[in-house]
C-alpha cells in the first residue's frame, strides 16, 4: 500500500486506480471522497468475495468510491468492465466470459467503462502469472493494461525480477550457476543477467530434452501451488510497453529498474536474495489507442 499511496496522495479529484486487492483496503480507508476512486480487479472470484467483506471496502463502495470486478487481464478488454454509478460493485466472470453487461438494453453511450478511464493503473505481481515473454497472452494483457489509461495516465508495475532467489530455487543448471556471479562485486546486475542468458542458450543446445519439470519455458516456472511465474528482465517490459521510434500506440518510459534486497537471518545463518522489477510508464497526451 505504500507504493500506492506514493502515487495517490497527490490526487485532488476523482481519479481511478487498478491494483491487486490485498493492497486496496488501506488506501480506500485513507482516501476520502472525492479524492480517489478505486476499481479493484482480480482473476479469482474468491479474492473479490473476500474484498467485498472488508469493512473498509464496504464503506468506500457505499460512498461510490470503489467497485470490485472479477477480471482476466489476458482475455478481457477494459471496455468489458462497466463502472457506471448504477452498476453493482461486483461484475461476475466465469470461464473467461464476462457477465458485466447484464442489461443488454443499456446503450453503449450511456455506460462508463474502464477503457481510457484510469489516471493511475497499478499491476502488482500480476503479469508474471500470465505467461512468459514473448507470448500472446502476455502481449494481450499489456495492451489491455495500456487501454485502461486516459491520456497522460500512469502505469505502475512491480513484479518478479530475473534471478530472484525464488527462481534460483525453482531452476537448475545455468540459473543455479548465477549465484557465484551475483556474489562478484565486479559484475553489474545487468551484466550478470546477460551472462546467464548466454549460458542458457548454450545449455539449451546441449540439453533440449532435459528441462526441469518445474520450468515450463525459459524463465517461466510452475510454483508449488500450481500457478505459473515468469521472472522479468528490463528489456521484457520495454518490449511490452514502450514506444519505439515514431510509434505512438504504447507508452512513454518514466522509470525502469531492478530492486535488490538481501535479508539475513543471523540466528540461522541464512541469507535470502530478492529481486523485483519496478517500472512507471505514461500514456502520451496526443497519441493513444481506442
Amino acid at each position: 500500500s505504500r507504493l500506492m499511496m506514493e502515487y495517490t496522495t497527490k490526487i485532488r479529484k476523482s481519479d481511478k486506480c487498478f491494483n491487486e486487492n490485498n493492497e486496496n483496503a488501506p488506501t480506500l480507508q485513507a482516501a476520502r471522497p472525492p479524492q480517489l476512486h478505486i476499481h479493484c480487479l482480480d482473476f479469482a472470484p474468491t479474492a473479490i468475495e473476500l474484498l467485498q467483506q472488508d469493512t473498509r471496502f464496504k464503506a468506500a463502495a457505499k460512498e461510490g468510491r470503489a467497485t470490485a470486478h472479477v477480471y482476466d487481464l489476458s482475455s478481457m478488454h477494459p471496455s468489458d468492465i462497466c463502472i457506471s454509478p448504477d452498476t453493482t460493485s461486483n461484475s461476475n466472470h466465469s470461464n473467461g466470459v464476462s457477465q458485466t453487461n447484464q442489461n443488454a438494453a443499456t446503450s453503449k453511450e450511456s455506460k462508463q467503462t474502464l477503457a481510457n478511464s484510469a489516471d493511475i493503473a497499478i499491476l502488482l505481481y500480476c503479469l508474471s502469472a500470465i505467461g512468459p515473454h514473448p507470448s500472446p497472452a502476455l502481449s494481450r494483457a499489456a495492451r489491455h493494461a495500456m487501454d485502461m489509461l486516459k491520456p497522460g495516465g500512469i502505469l505502475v508495475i512491480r513484479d518478479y525480477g530475473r534471478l530472484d532467489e525464488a527462481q534460483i530455487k525453482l531452476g537448475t543448471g545455468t540459473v543455479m550457476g548465477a549465484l557465484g556471479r551475483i556474489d562478484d562485486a565486479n559484475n553489474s546486475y545487468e551484466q550478470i543477467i546477460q551472462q546467464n542468458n548466454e549460458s542458457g542458450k548454450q545449455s539449451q543446445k546441449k540439453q533440449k530434452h532435459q528441462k526441469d519439470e518445474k520450468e515450463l519455458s525459459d524463465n517461466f516456472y510452475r510454483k508449488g501451488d500450481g500457478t505459473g511465474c515468469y521472472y522479468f528482465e528490463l528489456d521484457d517490459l520495454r518490449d511490452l510497453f514502450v514506444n519505439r521510434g515514431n510509434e505512438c500506440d504504447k507508452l512513454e518510459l518514466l522509470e525502469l529498474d531492478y530492486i535488490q534486497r538481501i535479508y539475513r537471518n543471523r540466528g540461522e545463518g541464512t541469507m535470502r536474495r530478492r529481486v523485483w522489477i519496478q517500472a512507471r510508464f505514461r500514456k502520451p497526451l496526443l497519441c493513444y489507442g481506442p
Side-chain angles (χ1 to χ4, degrees):
S1 61
R2 183 173 62 183
L3 181 66
M4 283 191 68
M5 292 305 296
E6 180 181 348
Y7 296 104
T8 56
T9 50
K10 296 180 182 179
I11 292 176
R12 293 293 178 265
K13 294 185 179 179
S14 177
D15 293 325
K16 300 173 180 65
C17 191
F18 161 60
N19 183 30
E20 272 192 347
N21 294 317
N22 59 351
E23 295 289 340
N24 279 317
T27 308
L28 285 168
Q29 186 178 36
R32 308 304 300 172
Q35 290 181 318
L36 183 67
H37 288 73
I38 295 183
H39 302 286
C40 314
L41 310 178
D42 201 293
F43 179 80
T46 302
I48 293 297
E49 292 170 6
L50 289 173
L51 177 66
Q52 290 179 312
Q53 295 170 13
D54 190 290
T55 56
R56 294 165 294 185
F57 176 84
K58 288 180 179 179
K62 188 175 181 180
E63 295 170 355
R65 296 188 292 116
T67 62
H69 310 268
V70 179
Y71 181 75
D72 182 354
L73 185 63
S74 67
S75 66
M76 297 173 64
H77 192 267
S79 60
D80 293 333
I81 297 294
C82 186
I83 56 174
S84 298
D86 58 345
T87 58
T88 61
S89 64
N90 181 27
S91 298
N92 295 318
H93 165 261
S94 177
N95 297 323
V97 180
S98 172
Q99 299 176 9
T100 306
N101 305 322
Q102 295 180 0
N103 186 0
T106 304
S107 66
K108 232 176 183 181
E109 291 76 12
S110 65
K111 292 191 302 182
Q112 182 183 3
T113 72
L114 274 180
N116 298 316
S117 70
D119 291 289
I120 302 172
I122 301 181
L123 302 179
L124 294 183
Y125 308 102
C126 172
L127 297 175
S128 54
I130 292 173
H133 177 68
S135 67
L138 194 58
S139 295
R140 286 194 304 270
R143 170 48 56 192
H144 293 165
M146 290 186 280
D147 286 350
M148 290 182 188
L149 298 172
K150 62 174 61 173
I154 303 293
L155 175 63
V156 180
I157 297 174
R158 180 176 286 190
D159 222 314
Y160 297 106
R162 189 66 51 86
L163 301 183
D164 177 54
E165 181 156 322
Q167 179 185 9
I168 292 173
K169 287 181 177 179
L170 287 168
T172 57
T174 58
V175 175
M176 296 295 289
L179 273 173
R181 294 193 291 274
I182 292 174
D183 289 330
D184 186 352
N186 294 322
N187 285 330
S188 72
Y189 197 73
E190 291 195 59
Q191 286 175 329
I192 292 167
I193 290 176
Q194 185 177 359
Q195 292 167 9
N196 187 72
N197 290 342
E198 291 171 357
S199 299
K201 289 176 183 178
Q202 295 172 2
S203 176
Q204 287 172 10
K205 292 177 182 178
K206 297 178 181 178
Q207 302 178 352
K208 284 185 178 179
H209 61 287
Q210 295 181 356
K211 266 192 184 295
D212 190 281
E213 61 179 11
K214 293 180 181 178
E215 187 174 6
L216 304 177
S217 64
D218 291 343
N219 303 297
F220 185 56
Y221 299 83
R222 181 186 291 109
K223 298 193 292 185
D225 61 2
T227 60
C229 186
Y230 181 72
Y231 295 87
F232 288 95
E233 60 178 292
L234 302 183
D235 283 343
D236 294 334
L237 293 189
R238 285 194 187 96
D239 289 343
L240 287 167
F241 293 103
V242 179
N243 283 320
R244 295 185 177 185
N246 295 325
E247 294 177 348
C248 63
D249 62 332
K250 293 186 179 180
L251 308 178
E252 302 166 350
L253 176 62
L254 301 179
E255 174 190 354
L256 180 59
D257 207 351
Y258 293 107
I259 298 176
Q260 301 177 64
R261 296 287 185 270
I262 296 178
Y263 300 95
R264 291 184 172 86
N265 186 321
R266 292 183 176 84
E268 298 179 1
T270 58
M271 180 173 62
R272 297 179 63 207
R273 299 178 179 86
R274 301 309 310 269
V275 181
W276 299 283
I277 196 166
Q278 183 165 304
R280 286 189 302 125
F281 307 97
R282 179 171 54 210
K283 192 169 192 177
L285 287 169
L286 300 178
C287 189
Y288 53 95

